[in-house]
Amino acid sequence: MTKERADILCLCTPHGVGGAQNNAGRLTKAFRERGYNAQLGFLFEREPDYYHEIEDFFVVYYKLPSGPREWSAFLNRCRVEIAGRRPRVTLGFHPLANIIGALNTGWAGRFYSRQAWPRDQQSSGTEKLETLLTRTPLVSGNIACSYFVKNSFTHRGKAYEKKTSVIYNEPPKLPEVDEDKVACQTHFGMTHGTPVLGTLGRLHEQKNFQLAIRAMPYVAEGHLYMAGGGPQEEMLRRLASECGVEDRVHFLGPLRGADVTRFLKAVDLLLMTSIYEGHPLVMLEAMSAGAPVLAHDVEVMREAGGNAAVYASSDPGDWGRKIHSLGPERLEKIAEDGRARADEFASSSMVESYLSALGLPLHREK
């Protein structure tokens, strides 16, 4: 049976937790609300119990393929699942999805690649293939989620520059919570020590949360609450013990929905320690909730945070000194500036910017 033709296909690489996957789900849902037959697909399975805004997505293959036989089967399934939907427009969200999407869409529809990671975080093989495809008619355009990301690919030349636009990720609207700060702290058992510090995100090497733990010996009496799960949890627990701060570092596990809002209302300061980000949505979520932010002093953090955040180097002692220097009045001013900064990013519609970049009307014509 022939599948109904997709107006827009949002295509990611792994199905599971991730900022790109969340954005793909949000955009798919928003495109549907504007009348488009929008579909969400993933190349292979990683975390089957996870979903992204919508539940009727498809997954091409049951795992990341390995070996010639599995890759052959995988590529054949891509032809069936992607080309078989005959998408008018496909939007890729990861390097491999960009390559597969271009090859399975660019002949009969329009393909747009998306860059959420800087060049040095992409494998050399996929980067070379993407560079080649960008120079062909198979790729109609490219969207970078920040100028930091866009500028990391300038070696791709004039074709890349001509085809590329920057669209920031719009911060998702957090659920409203009526509880005050004390009630939110009590909800998480934050009953001792000041300041109350927090990190929020997947416990993954990119997030560099070990820097936050290494800073704790320089923060007398402070407690660090880490919200998120991931592959580095055991390592981070060991590190807290090695640093002698295991009684002041608390692991809360993954948070969802209103608990994210409660967490951001509860902390005195959110620590953004990432080595890199495409566009740091957690920073903007924190700012929108009124949480002051201390961020790793890297280019993309300053592009997002501007003058509304405080920045520290890769030295844990610098983080400790910055934390101690922030009194109540300064924290209140940072929170006020942060709300205004988050409002700047939320003032423009991400979905309208994407539809414009994809060459589509803001609402599907009947």
Side-chain angles (χ1 to χ4, degrees):
M1 184 176 71
T2 303
K3 298 181 177 70
E4 181 182 0
R5 185 173 191 185
D7 294 321
I8 307 172
L9 171 61
C10 293
L11 186 66
C12 299
T13 300
H15 171 241
V17 177
Q21 292 91 330
N22 288 339
N23 270 305
R26 290 171 63 200
L27 282 168
T28 302
K29 182 179 179 181
F31 293 149
R32 289 179 177 182
E33 290 170 351
R34 290 171 179 263
Y36 287 96
N37 174 18
Q39 300 180 23
L40 174 63
F42 301 88
L43 295 184
F44 63 82
E45 188 62 81
R46 187 178 68 190
E47 292 165 292
D49 295 331
Y50 203 82
Y51 75 96
H52 312 270
E53 295 284 343
I54 60 173
E55 297 184 6
D56 57 330
F57 54 82
F58 68 91
V59 180
V60 172
Y61 207 65
Y62 69 102
K63 67 168 187 169
L64 175 65
S66 62
R69 181 170 299 198
E70 285 193 359
W71 273 98
S72 177
F74 166 72
L75 293 173
N76 183 59
R77 289 301 306 166
C78 287
R79 181 183 60 79
V80 171
E81 290 291 345
I82 299 170
R85 294 169 192 270
R86 300 169 297 131
R88 292 179 171 87
V89 176
T90 296
L91 177 61
F93 283 80
H94 293 102
L96 182 59
N98 289 340
I99 294 166
I100 297 293
L103 293 174
N104 283 277
T105 301
W107 304 102
R110 288 180 289 130
F111 178 79
Y112 292 79
S113 57
R114 181 179 178 274
Q115 305 297 335
W117 301 339
R119 177 191 180 187
D120 61 5
Q121 298 301 321
Q122 186 172 340
S123 73
S124 61
T126 57
E127 205 286 312
K128 288 176 181 176
L129 282 172
E130 276 203 79
T131 298
L132 177 64
L133 287 168
T134 298
R135 295 169 180 165
T136 74
L138 291 176
V139 176
S140 298
N142 184 56
I143 297 168
C145 66
S146 67
Y147 285 96
F148 163 71
V149 170
K150 177 187 176 184
N151 294 339
S152 72
F153 290 98
T154 52
H155 68 286
R156 290 182 175 178
K158 292 182 179 179
Y160 169 80
E161 180 66 29
K162 183 177 180 181
K163 290 183 178 182
T164 302
S165 56
V166 172
I167 301 177
Y168 288 118
N169 297 327
E170 183 181 329
K173 186 173 177 58
L174 295 171
E176 294 186 7
V177 169
D178 291 334
E179 295 101 309
D180 63 12
K181 184 170 186 171
V182 173
C184 290
Q185 289 182 341
T186 302
H187 178 79
F188 293 109
M190 301 173 178
T191 57
H192 40 232
T194 57
V196 174
L197 308 171
T199 63
L200 177 62
R202 183 170 169 80
L203 304 183
H204 183 273
E205 60 182 350
Q206 173 203 347
K207 303 301 181 181
N208 194 29
F209 288 139
Q210 56 265 39
L211 179 56
I213 293 175
R214 292 186 189 281
M216 291 306 293
Y218 301 93
V219 186
E221 300 182 1
H223 281 244
L224 174 64
Y225 294 85
M226 307 188 73
Q232 286 201 323
E233 181 172 344
E234 288 305 314
M235 181 275 288
L236 293 171
R237 287 182 181 274
R238 289 195 303 271
L239 179 62
S241 178
E242 292 167 5
C243 292
V245 295
E246 66 270 25
D247 59 332
R248 296 193 290 122
V249 177
H250 313 273
F251 292 82
L252 302 182
L255 302 182
R256 289 190 180 182
D259 272 349
V260 175
T261 309
R262 290 188 181 96
F263 181 77
L264 294 173
K265 290 182 71 172
V267 299
D268 296 320
L269 190 66
L270 187 83
L271 309 184
M272 289 287 301
T273 53
S274 299
I275 300 169
Y276 72 92
E277 295 278 350
H279 182 60
L281 275 183
V282 170
M283 170 188 273
L284 298 175
E285 287 178 331
M287 289 176 167
S288 69
V293 174
L294 174 61
H296 196 187
D297 195 358
V298 293
E299 183 181 345
V300 71
M301 294 293 188
R302 286 192 176 269
E303 182 177 344
N307 295 324
V310 180
Y311 301 92
S313 69
S314 298
D315 175 18
D318 188 30
W319 286 74
R321 290 187 292 272
K322 291 286 174 62
I323 291 167
H324 278 301
S325 72
L326 299 173
E329 291 185 3
R330 177 75 173 116
L331 288 173
E332 186 176 339
K333 180 64 165 61
I334 297 169
E336 179 184 338
D337 292 345
R339 287 191 185 94
R341 183 69 174 176
D343 286 345
E344 290 179 25
F345 286 98
S347 63
S348 60
S349 169
M350 179 174 71
V351 64
E352 290 186 3
S353 296
Y354 268 89
L355 288 170
S356 178
L358 299 177
L360 297 171
L362 299 186
H363 293 272
R364 186 176 183 274
E365 300 171 352
K366 301 297 184 182

